[in-house]
Amino acid sequence: MVRFKNRYITIEVEPVKIPKTNSWELDTGKLYKAIVNTLSTLHGDFGVASTTGGFSVKYCNKETKIGIIRCRHGPHKLIASIIPFIKQIDNNQVQLNTLYTGATLHQCYKFIKSYQLNHLRKFYSMLHDVEKHKYFEYEKSAMDLKVFNKTK
């Protein structure tokens, strides 16, 4: 039996016209459709056929707008090449940034954990002591990585 290797691409979705104070939920289905639509536009039927075999969106965090895409090793280069060209998700203008590409979900988990901790440290350094207590709930939701604990 042949073992298929997967690659996990960690991305960050930044809404362009939506202010950071407004909530906009990143959904796995909407992100999947946006990737497949852009893939069919840029790489045609070949791109869609070669990537959809092992392609899925594994994780989306609503607060930090970070997601993980799983795809097969080889066609992952096609998906990685179209990520900067995705400009709309569910009629909202967005900009996607590739943060990390890893071979296992656990490596992506470790990267996201350190990335979010660094982001929170920068955020807390700009606040006064009184304001830090208000953002404790934000920290709990930003570090919500329950999906990864199920996969172990």
Side-chain angles (χ1 to χ4, degrees):
M1 193 152 121
V2 178
R3 179 178 163 262
F4 289 107
K5 293 182 181 180
N6 290 321
R7 290 294 175 255
Y8 297 89
I9 302 171
T10 305
I11 60 168
E12 181 180 33
V13 179
E14 295 178 6
V16 175
K17 292 191 176 182
I18 300 173
K20 293 193 178 206
T21 56
N22 293 357
S23 65
W24 177 71
E25 293 187 9
L26 180 62
D27 186 38
T28 57
K30 294 173 187 175
L31 182 59
Y32 180 87
K33 288 178 185 177
I35 292 171
V36 171
N37 289 340
T38 308
L39 190 64
S40 68
T41 302
L42 295 177
H43 293 292
D45 291 338
F46 170 76
V48 174
S50 64
T51 57
T52 54
F55 175 66
S56 67
V57 178
K58 297 296 283 182
Y59 171 74
C60 286
N61 191 324
K62 298 175 185 176
E63 295 294 326
T64 58
K65 310 288 190 286
I66 291 178
I68 296 179
I69 303 165
R70 183 191 75 191
C71 50
R72 296 258 167 98
H73 179 66
H76 78 283
K77 294 177 184 177
L78 293 175
I79 293 177
S81 70
I82 64 140
I83 287 176
F85 295 105
I86 298 173
K87 299 298 180 194
Q88 274 193 334
I89 296 177
D90 193 36
N91 296 327
N92 293 316
Q93 288 187 343
V94 295
Q95 179 182 359
L96 270 67
N97 301 320
T98 303
L99 299 177
Y100 179 75
T101 301
T104 63
L105 197 58
H106 184 68
Q107 290 296 322
C108 289
Y109 163 71
K110 290 194 313 189
F111 174 79
I112 289 174
K113 189 173 180 179
S114 66
Y115 180 80
Q116 289 176 346
L117 283 174
N118 289 336
H119 180 67
L120 285 172
R121 285 184 189 133
K122 289 178 188 175
F123 181 69
Y124 282 155
S125 67
M126 294 183 291
L127 297 176
H128 299 290
D129 289 333
V130 178
E131 293 174 330
K132 287 183 183 179
H133 296 291
K134 292 192 298 187
Y135 292 100
F136 183 70
E137 290 298 319
Y138 174 75
E139 180 179 357
K140 284 173 55 177
S141 62
M143 295 305 295
D144 179 27
L145 301 171
K146 294 177 189 171
V147 152
F148 297 106
N149 294 334
K150 292 179 187 176
T151 59
K152 289 184 179 179

